[in-house]
Amino acid sequence: MHVLLTGGTGFLGRALIGGLLERGDRCTVISRSGRDPWRRDDVRVLRADPTQPGEWQRAVSGVDAVVNLAGERVVHPLHPWTAARKAAITASRVETARRLAEAIRAAEPRPRVFVSASGVNYYGPRGDERVEETAPPGDDFLARLCVEW
């Protein structure tokens, strides 16, 4: 299987790629830094900003699956949630998902699977309350981010 990933150099991405490689899969990683911690033939790293349209979108054609894990770090001890920081966090998730969807629509052949996981806390702070999937979203920053994403 050939999987294209954004956010592949992050904590979850590195673990997922490790598991995919262990299974014998190939990976294409879209990375803003272009960093390649794998240095293997079965991992291709493309340096690109997935929030912007570009040549990287052509790499979606022919892959079996797309996994989106990209996004600015939500929790960072040196960067409080200022209005500018919240805007950057939001744009990093919403624009990346939008650009990936554009690339998938244009791909030939198209990937069979698109998994996008870039947010938590859709339901907002609920304490010990049991929440069903039909519950409405919360109203804090992270819940609104999930809705927009």
Side-chain angles (χ1 to χ4, degrees), residues 15-77:
L16 177 58
I17 289 171
L20 291 169
L21 295 174
E22 203 170 281
R23 274 185 3 174
D25 296 328
R26 293 180 302 131
C27 298
T28 296
V29 180
I30 308 301
S31 169
R32 287 181 301 189
S33 71
R35 191 168 46 97
D36 182 355
W38 303 279
R39 292 181 176 80
R40 296 173 50 142
D41 291 338
D42 47 3
V43 178
R44 177 179 171 210
V45 177
L46 299 177
R47 184 176 186 186
D49 180 352
T51 67
Q52 302 297 315
E55 288 298 313
W56 68 268
Q57 290 174 301
R58 294 179 197 259
V60 172
S61 289
V63 301
D64 300 296
V66 174
V67 177
N68 177 27
L69 301 173
E72 292 285 330
R73 282 179 59 184
V74 172
V75 178
H76 195 296

Side-chain angles (χ1 to χ4, degrees), residues 129-140:
E129 176 187 347
R130 183 181 172 113
V131 179
E132 300 288 332
E133 286 186 18
T134 57
D139 193 34
D140 64 340

Side-chain angles (χ1 to χ4, degrees), residues 6 8 10 12 16-17 23-24 35 38 47-48 50 55 65 70-71 83 90 94 100 103 106 112 114 126 136 138:
T6 62
L12 291 176
L16 177 58
I17 289 171
R23 274 185 3 174
R35 191 168 46 97
W38 303 279
R47 184 176 186 186
E55 288 298 313
T90 300
V94 173
L100 283 167
R112 294 176 299 178
F114 178 33
R126 305 279 180 117

Side-chain angles (χ1 to χ4, degrees), residues 88-139:
I89 290 168
T90 300
S92 69
R93 285 160 174 72
V94 173
E95 290 305 315
T96 298
R98 179 176 290 131
R99 300 302 177 205
L100 283 167
E102 288 171 359
I104 290 168
R105 278 193 295 274
E108 192 57 49
R110 287 184 179 164
R112 294 176 299 178
V113 176
F114 178 33
V115 177
S116 191
S118 294
V120 297
N121 209 28
Y122 173 84
Y123 301 105
R126 305 279 180 117
D128 291 335
E129 176 187 347
R130 183 181 172 113
V131 179
E132 300 288 332
E133 286 186 18
T134 57
D139 193 34

